[in-house]
Structures are given as C-alpha cells and as structure tokens.
Amino acid sequence: MDFLIYSIEDDKDIALIINKTLSKQGYDIRTFYDAKSFFQAFEQTKPNMILLDMMLPDMSGQEILKKIRANSLYDDIEIIIISANHMIMDKVDGFDLGADDYIEKPFDLLELMSRVQAKARRHKKNKITIGNFTIDFEKRACTINDEEIQLTTKEYEILALLCKNRGKVISRDDIFEQIWNTDQILESRTVDMHIKSIRAKLKENKDLIKTIYSVGYKINL
C-alpha cells in the first residue's frame, strides 16, 4: 500500500501496538518517540498521514501541529491526534490548529484502523503519486519533490485527465473534446503542443507521458 504514516508517540508500548496494527494492514508506518527525530525524517520524506501524541518530551503536539500547518504545502497531510486529554476544549483546540481527526486514549484498535482507513481512502481519491510526482485534484496542483509545477489551466486539465485514466490510452480527439468541451476539429497539433509544454515542465519526469503513435497519449505507471 503506497501510503506513508508517521506515528509520534513517546509511550513505547502504545507506539509498538500502533505500529504492529497498521503494519498488518499493509501501511508503511514509521515510529518516532520525540519531535526531533520526527522532524529529521520529515525534512527528508513527507508522509501522507501523521498520528500525533500531544504529550512529548521535547515539544508539545500543539507546537508540532502549528509548525506543519504553517506551511500550505503540507495541507494535504492527514493529521490524527491520539491523546489522553478528554476535555472538549482540547479537541476543539486540536481541530482549530488543523487536525483532521481526534482519537482518545485508551483507544480501540478497530476504531484506530477504521479512522486511518477512512482518511487513507479520502486521501487517495484526491491525489495520485507516481515516484516524486504528485497531482492533487482537490487543489488542482502538481508537485515534483514537493515543489509546485506552474501549469496553465489547459495543461493542468490535460495532465489530470491522463492521470485519472493512468494506464489507458486517451486519443487526441478525446483529449480535445473533453478539455476544450467541443468536438469541432481545430488545429491538429493543439494537443501535441500542450503535451510538449507539459513534458518540458515535468523535466526529469517527462517520460511519465507516453506517446502512442497515431493514437494519443497515456501515463506510464
């Protein structure tokens, strides 16, 4: 399962339970016992989800949450607070700071799996990642190594169409009809020129778009 989870939990027994439970479900989960080790890993690889304990030895969960949500590039990272604080204001504060969900300790393992699976399903519907390339359909944005690619509206729509149909060949006529909302025959190289521009902006990922001779294009998996 191509879904990376970072679990930040200083209680090693709870951390082990979380890790084993979600690993068995096929998730790539990495455990951290403090904020320092978490941020060292975070700088190298961004996760799809963070399971965040609020009581840590070197930094509070609130501070971690604020730091991550301060950067809009990380808005798509799902953050689930797992906390022993049961006060309603603690939950409200967590959501106000940008948490996506809140699970109280002690928690039921089935509830944990259910919450994680629900967020993972929603996340996967909204974006596709191929290598270091990600397209976020909700934000209408594409990134390479977390850096946004500047695409025109039509370029984004063509790339989104190909990504949503990845592995399938989309003809030039179908691309033109769906993106320009017309079946009128215009300049035959209109689509080709847009594809050329997209490839240039994809740089080292230009081979993601494969040309199927005399037919159209598809996304290489």
Side-chain angles (χ1 to χ4, degrees):
M1 186 178 295
D2 185 20
F3 194 81
L4 177 60
I5 301 174
Y6 282 177
S7 171
I8 318 170
E9 171 61 66
D10 67 334
D11 185 315
K12 294 188 177 181
D13 290 333
I14 294 176
L16 182 61
I17 290 170
I18 292 173
N19 192 296
K20 284 189 172 181
T21 298
L22 296 180
S23 292
K24 287 181 180 178
Q25 298 301 308
Y27 294 104
D28 181 1
I29 178 164
R30 304 175 193 180
T31 301
F32 306 93
Y33 303 116
D34 53 50
K36 181 180 179 181
S37 59
F38 161 74
F39 278 115
Q40 286 174 341
F42 189 85
E43 288 301 314
Q44 298 299 316
T45 305
K46 304 301 182 291
N48 301 113
M49 177 182 290
I50 297 171
L51 305 179
L52 178 62
D53 181 20
M54 301 304 275
M55 304 286 287
L56 297 168
D58 55 347
M59 182 184 289
S60 70
Q62 289 92 336
E63 290 177 279
I64 294 174
L65 194 48
K66 285 180 183 178
K67 190 170 181 178
I68 293 171
R69 289 305 188 219
N71 191 330
S72 61
L73 283 175
Y74 309 144
D75 285 351
D76 61 324
I77 297 176
E78 301 280 350
I79 301 179
I80 300 178
I81 292 174
I82 300 180
S83 175
N85 295 328
H86 298 171
M87 298 294 291
I88 187 63
M89 285 310 300
D90 292 319
K91 295 182 181 180
V92 171
D93 288 344
F95 287 123
D96 284 346
L97 289 172
D100 298 290
D101 205 345
Y102 194 108
I103 298 176
E104 294 182 4
K105 294 178 182 177
F107 53 85
D108 183 270
L109 292 179
L110 289 177
E111 179 186 11
L112 173 66
M113 287 189 292
S114 178
R115 300 279 190 97
V116 169
Q117 287 169 357
K119 293 289 185 294
R121 282 196 300 269
R122 188 182 75 178
H123 181 94
K124 288 197 167 188
K125 287 179 181 178
N126 288 339
K127 65 168 51 180
I128 292 171
T129 297
I130 305 172
N132 63 355
F133 166 80
T134 297
I135 181 166
D136 188 315
F137 301 116
E138 186 174 1
K139 294 182 179 179
R140 292 178 62 88
C142 300
T143 59
I144 294 176
N145 291 323
D146 296 324
E147 293 187 13
E148 187 169 352
I149 309 166
Q150 298 302 316
L151 300 171
T152 67
T153 299
K154 287 290 188 275
E155 288 170 354
Y156 167 79
E157 291 175 350
I158 291 171
L159 190 52
L161 175 64
L162 293 173
C163 287
K164 287 178 180 178
N165 293 277
R166 59 195 185 280
K168 299 179 182 178
V169 180
I170 309 297
S171 71
R172 291 174 175 83
D173 289 344
D174 284 342
I175 292 173
F176 196 87
E177 184 175 348
Q178 293 188 53
I179 302 305
W180 277 268
N181 296 311
T182 178
D183 57 3
Q184 182 180 355
I185 302 301
L186 295 180
E187 170 58 46
S188 61
R189 288 191 52 80
T190 298
V191 172
D192 294 341
M193 293 304 294
H194 278 75
I195 292 289
K196 182 179 179 180
S197 179
I198 295 168
R199 281 176 170 153
K201 293 177 180 181
L202 288 174
K203 297 179 181 179
E204 72 270 19
N205 291 287
K206 63 183 181 180
D207 291 337
L208 277 176
I209 303 177
K210 183 177 181 181
T211 302
I212 307 302
Y213 183 69
S214 77
V215 179
Y217 300 96
K218 75 172 185 176
I219 290 292
N220 267 333
L221 298 179

